[in-house]
Amino acid sequence: MEEAPPLAVRCAGLVKRFEDVVAVAGLDLEVRSGECFGLLGPNGAGKTTTVEILEGLSAPDEGDVEVLGARWGRGADRALRARLGVQLQETLLAEKLTVRETVRLFRSFYARGRDADGVIGMVGLDEKRGARVGKLSGGQKQRLALACALVGDPELLFLDEPTTGLDPQARLKVWEIVAEFRSRGGTVLLTTHAMEEAERLCDRVAVMDHGRRIALGTPADLVASLGADQIVEIEADGELDGASLGRLPGVRSVSPRPRGFMLAVGDIGSGLPALLAEVGARGARLESLRTHQATLEDVFVHLTGRELRDV
Amino acid sequence: MSDRPHPLLELTRARVLEFLREPEAVFWVFVFPVLLALALGIAFRSRPAEVARAAVVSGSEAARETAERLGRAPDVEVRLLDLPEAEEALRKGRVDVVLEVSGASPPAALVTYRFDPTRPEGRAARLAVDDALQRAGGRADAVPTADRPETERGSRYIDFLIPGLVGLNLMGSGMWGIGFSVVVARTRKLLKRFAATPMRRSHYLLSFALSRLVFLALEVAAVVGFGWLAFGVAVRGSILDLSLVSLLGAAAFAGLGLLVAARPRTIEAVSGWMNFVMLPMWLLSGTFFSYERFPETLRPAIRALPLTALNDALRAVVNDGAALSDRWPEGLVLAVWTAASFALALRIFRWK
Ligand SMILES: Nc1ncnc2c1ncn2[C@@H]1O[C@H](COP(=O)(O)OP(=O)(O)OP(=O)(O)O)[C@@H](O)[C@H]1O
Ligand SMILES: [Mg+2]
């Protein structure tokens, strides 16, 4: 029998309520040691709430959390924190300190860790070493936050939207840093809205909505679960019927969109002509038709009827 | 690896750098108290000799003659005014007493004094004018007396004021400095970020107290040095005792600042609490005037306030040349405030 890889994070039945909202509604997650796990979901899905519970920053109302084989609040929290690297979704580091002073400060909290200057170089802030944090651009601040998360040489890295607001080059830089961290055996749990990022970086992803997990698997598995190579988005002026679209050859599924339909199509060669024939037969006028390779984004839309970025 | 800097030292260093890079904070801590001392020192400087300013209501021979007699007295400054002018001068504080004279010439005249008995200047002027008139009229002293003026250094208002300003400044800079930094760090989620590291939470709080100590010497020296240079206010006790008392006071207000900043989430909230805590001490703790003016029953409570204890101990060292060991009750009050506020702040501190 093959031995299951050890778990870096395990949580079961996680529930967190705020006054009138249930931010996390019974979530189960397992992150394996050495993998990069992505948590996807629209705004307000409960990603940050979940991650902060795993980081030991807030306590769940219900459920069980185990991080690197330990539990929070058992008297060994500091020892556990020493093994974690954390980037919060929004932290504004002290503006009056320089990049170097900030990283040194964080370094001093860890008994073992990386060299502060080395980490600054790694996130590409060498030139900004002596600059005040308040004078950095948004993307530079984000990389500084990453440096602070890495300087304790963690086993497990939590990144809450590490590349939101970064330019393409800075995003590539962050991806490289994450890859380097993993090549040293580190485990990563990240949240993101960017499908491309999840597909490039994550071994497995969980899709969350309304505090629940609605899908789990490798990005490739999730895309394959649509049973479609191509996604066709169609908008037409006139009556189109979802049910009859679904019966067309090659069409695997249909989801309504604000001004038309989105079709997952297995075989575009037979699907597209049939679709055009159907539009013609119904006397509707085609307004727009787009097709693209199926992605995680389509999985999400298929599951929830909403774009990932929707609130 | 043990070559890493100690987290408490790094935290303190960060605090100190942040403070120095905040020009407004530097102004409030170092320049403002000196300006305050200057303004108050000038306003309340000892006048060469207090002169009674009197007005005699003109209109009769008796009035003119009374004014003439008064004019010969050295400590009375007199002028003749008609009634409306005299009344206005009294109202506006340009004279301290108005004399209405009726009947024949002095000493047969009847003199009525008009003055505000709630103003010390009014009462003093009435006494001086009366004394001058009675002497001019031929009154002899029944008891021989002599005056010895005490304008000696160490007993002037500015001598009383300077140690109080040192205390007040230690309170203000400690509480505002710490309260604002903590709440700003909380609103920026920086506290949460720190809480996610293995940093010891007590180190974070202690770093505030330590960073205050770095500036303490400068802060006290600015006010004391200014008092000495500008007004000749001498420190009669030892510099060591002055330093120790200041240290105790700074520690107590660092603790209190952390306690006030332990929970609020906004700058507005923490400002409100700061004022709520500091205002009673501004009024009661004897910075600008002695708290002996408050009723006896209140005084034990007033003495238990940290600023009162600090001011009393500072005055004992600066004005009376006492040693800290003589003022152990004040030292104890400050130590208790320090320990209790730190311990409580650490317990209730909000990291998110
Ligand atoms: N401190 C709080 N008090 C009240 N409600 C909260 C609090 N924090 C989060 N919520 C609510 O919980 C829900 C989940 O929020 P969360 O921040 O976890 O979402 P998210 O998935 O991280 O979203 P985003 O992609 O926008 O970062 C939201 O409805 C939010 O309004
Ligand atoms: Mg979030």
Side-chain angles (χ1 to χ4, degrees), chain B:
Chain B
M1 267 183 273
S2 58
D3 58 341
R4 70 169 173 147
H6 192 280
L8 185 53
L9 290 183
E10 272 309 295
L11 279 165
T12 307
R13 201 173 88 100
R15 283 278 87 67
V16 170
L17 290 173
E18 280 187 85
F19 174 81
L20 286 179
R21 291 170 188 172
E22 195 87 63
E24 299 90 333
V26 173
F27 171 83
W28 284 104
V29 170
F30 295 116
V31 183
F32 177 71
V34 165
L35 293 180
L36 192 61
L38 181 64
L40 290 170
I42 290 171
F44 293 97
R45 74 189 178 284
S46 321
R47 303 205 181 90
E50 207 61 56
V51 181
R53 297 166 306 167
V56 177
V57 177
S58 58
S60 67
E61 183 56 22
R64 201 193 51 72
E65 215 165 304
T66 304
E68 200 173 298
R69 281 176 170 222
L70 269 182
R72 286 197 287 272
D75 53 353
V76 178
E77 183 188 288
V78 69
R79 42 192 150 158
L80 267 171
L81 299 173
D82 63 25
L83 187 61
E85 276 175 345
E87 281 175 341
E88 194 196 340
L90 183 62
R91 258 200 324 276
K92 299 235 165 115
R94 286 199 293 269
V95 301
D96 303 316
V97 63
V98 168
L99 285 71
E100 288 185 38
V101 185
S102 55
S105 292
L110 172 66
V111 178
T112 309
Y113 297 117
R114 295 176 57 179
F115 65 102
D116 179 354
T118 63
R119 283 180 64 224
E121 294 87 346
R123 291 199 302 272
R126 185 220 170 270
L127 285 176
V129 167
D130 190 54
D131 189 55
L133 276 184
Q134 304 293 357
R135 274 167 196 273
R139 188 189 67 183
D141 287 339
V143 178
T145 59
D147 293 343
R148 198 180 73 190
E150 286 278 353
T151 51
E152 213 184 318
R153 297 193 160 174
S155 56
R156 299 162 304 167
Y157 179 66
I158 189 74
D159 297 298
F160 174 85
L161 184 66
I162 289 287
L165 284 182
V166 171
L168 194 69
N169 194 34
L170 288 178
M171 172 172 86
S173 55
M175 306 254 317
W176 286 119
I178 291 175
F180 272 133
S181 333
V182 169
V183 176
V184 166
R186 185 176 294 126
T187 56
R188 296 167 67 87
K189 307 248 164 92
L190 188 52
L191 290 188
K192 195 198 246 185
R193 181 63 188 86
F194 282 147
T197 71
M199 177 192 78
R200 276 187 196 281
R201 296 175 179 204
S202 55
H203 281 170
Y204 183 74
L205 301 198
L206 277 176
S207 73
F208 281 97
L210 285 184
S211 71
R212 293 280 304 124
L213 301 189
V214 173
F215 297 108
L216 184 67
L218 288 174
E219 224 175 289
V220 174
V223 181
V224 170
F226 175 79
W228 180 59
L229 289 176
F231 299 106
V233 176
V235 178
R236 296 197 172 170
S238 76
I239 295 294
L240 179 67
D241 283 321
L242 177 63
S243 314
L244 289 177
V245 170
S246 309
L247 205 94
L248 277 174
F253 289 118
L256 211 51
L258 284 170
L259 184 57
V260 171
R263 310 272 317 159
R265 293 180 210 259
T266 63
I267 290 292
E268 291 78 9
V270 78
S271 303
W273 282 107
M274 287 284 169
N275 282 325
F276 178 77
V277 168
M278 290 201 287
L279 193 68
M281 290 194 266
W282 268 85
L283 295 175
L284 300 176
S285 289
T287 298
F288 298 102
F289 57 88
S290 168
Y291 60 82
E292 302 289 334
R293 292 184 180 215
F294 292 105
E296 186 104 44
T297 46
L298 286 181
R299 278 182 229 156
I302 293 177
R303 284 201 194 92
L305 295 173
L307 184 57
T308 320
L310 177 58
N311 281 347
D312 283 354
L314 284 169
R315 289 207 173 102
V317 171
V318 172
N319 298 341
D320 309 336
L324 178 59
S325 49
D326 303 333
R327 306 310 299 237
W328 63 266
E330 281 86 1
L332 188 67
V333 167
L334 292 173
V336 168
W337 274 103
T338 308
S341 54
F342 264 106
L344 189 58
L346 190 57
R347 277 188 76 93
I348 66 168
F349 205 79
R350 193 200 298 273
W351 292 91
K352 302 191 65 168

Side-chain angles (χ1 to χ4, degrees), chain A residues 48-68:
Chain A
T48 298
T49 309
T50 304
V51 170
E52 288 189 357
I53 292 171
L54 301 180
E55 290 162 348
L57 291 174
S58 62
D61 293 319
E62 288 168 36
D64 190 37
V65 175
E66 211 179 286
V67 178
L68 298 175

Side-chain angles (χ1 to χ4, degrees), chain A residues 114-310:
Chain A
R114 296 198 190 183
D115 168 54
D117 287 325
V119 174
I120 293 170
M122 211 172 92
V123 300
L125 286 178
D126 260 326
E127 285 169 23
K128 294 287 174 181
R129 209 176 286 264
R132 300 256 178 105
V133 173
K135 299 262 156 72
L136 297 183
S137 75
Q140 289 164 341
K141 282 181 186 155
Q142 210 134 337
R143 272 138 70 194
L144 175 60
L146 193 57
C148 294
L150 288 169
V151 77
D153 197 14
E155 294 165 43
L156 170 59
L157 192 56
F158 290 102
L159 303 175
D160 199 350
E161 298 193 19
T163 59
T164 302
L166 294 193
D167 67 31
Q169 220 172 340
R171 176 172 309 168
L172 271 175
K173 183 94 210 165
V174 171
W175 290 352
E176 272 170 33
I177 295 165
V178 172
E180 196 267 359
F181 175 76
R182 291 194 56 207
S183 72
R184 298 159 55 127
T187 308
V188 181
L189 173 58
L190 63 82
T191 75
T192 183
H193 292 287
M195 294 304 103
E196 193 195 351
E197 179 162 298
E199 279 166 349
R200 287 275 296 263
L201 283 184
C202 299
D203 301 307
R204 293 191 308 142
V205 299
V207 181
M208 273 186 91
D209 196 17
H210 299 302
R212 287 176 207 283
R213 197 185 77 195
I214 54 177
L216 175 73
T218 66
D221 284 348
L222 289 185
V223 173
S225 73
L226 279 177
D229 290 339
Q230 294 285 323
I231 301 298
V232 178
E233 289 170 82
I234 181 167
E235 287 175 10
D237 183 17
E239 284 297 301
L240 283 184
D241 171 45
S244 50
L245 289 177
R247 283 192 295 272
L248 295 174
V251 173
R252 297 289 154 85
S253 69
V254 179
S255 20
R257 305 296 295 141
R259 301 203 53 237
F261 292 92
M262 185 185 103
L263 288 72
V265 181
D267 176 9
I268 195 87
S270 60
L272 199 54
L275 175 62
L276 293 175
E278 166 79 8
V279 172
R282 291 202 165 247
R285 202 171 58 80
L286 193 61
E287 283 187 336
S288 94
L289 182 127
R290 277 175 293 159
T291 81
H292 62 263
Q293 197 91 43
T295 65
L296 271 180
E297 181 94 38
D298 303 309
V299 175
F300 188 83
V301 174
H302 175 69
L303 289 171
T304 66
R306 293 184 293 158
E307 303 270 354
L308 257 165
R309 280 159 222 267
D310 289 350

Side-chain angles (χ1 to χ4, degrees), chain A residues 16-24 41-50 89 160-161 191 193 208, chain B residues 352:
Chain A
K16 180 77 182 180
R17 301 182 196 91
F18 296 106
E19 295 95 54
D20 51 346
V21 270
V22 182
V24 183
N43 291 140
K47 304 182 296 294
T48 298
T49 309
T50 304
Q89 186 171 354
D160 199 350
E161 298 193 19
T191 75
H193 292 287
M208 273 186 91
Chain B
K352 302 191 65 168

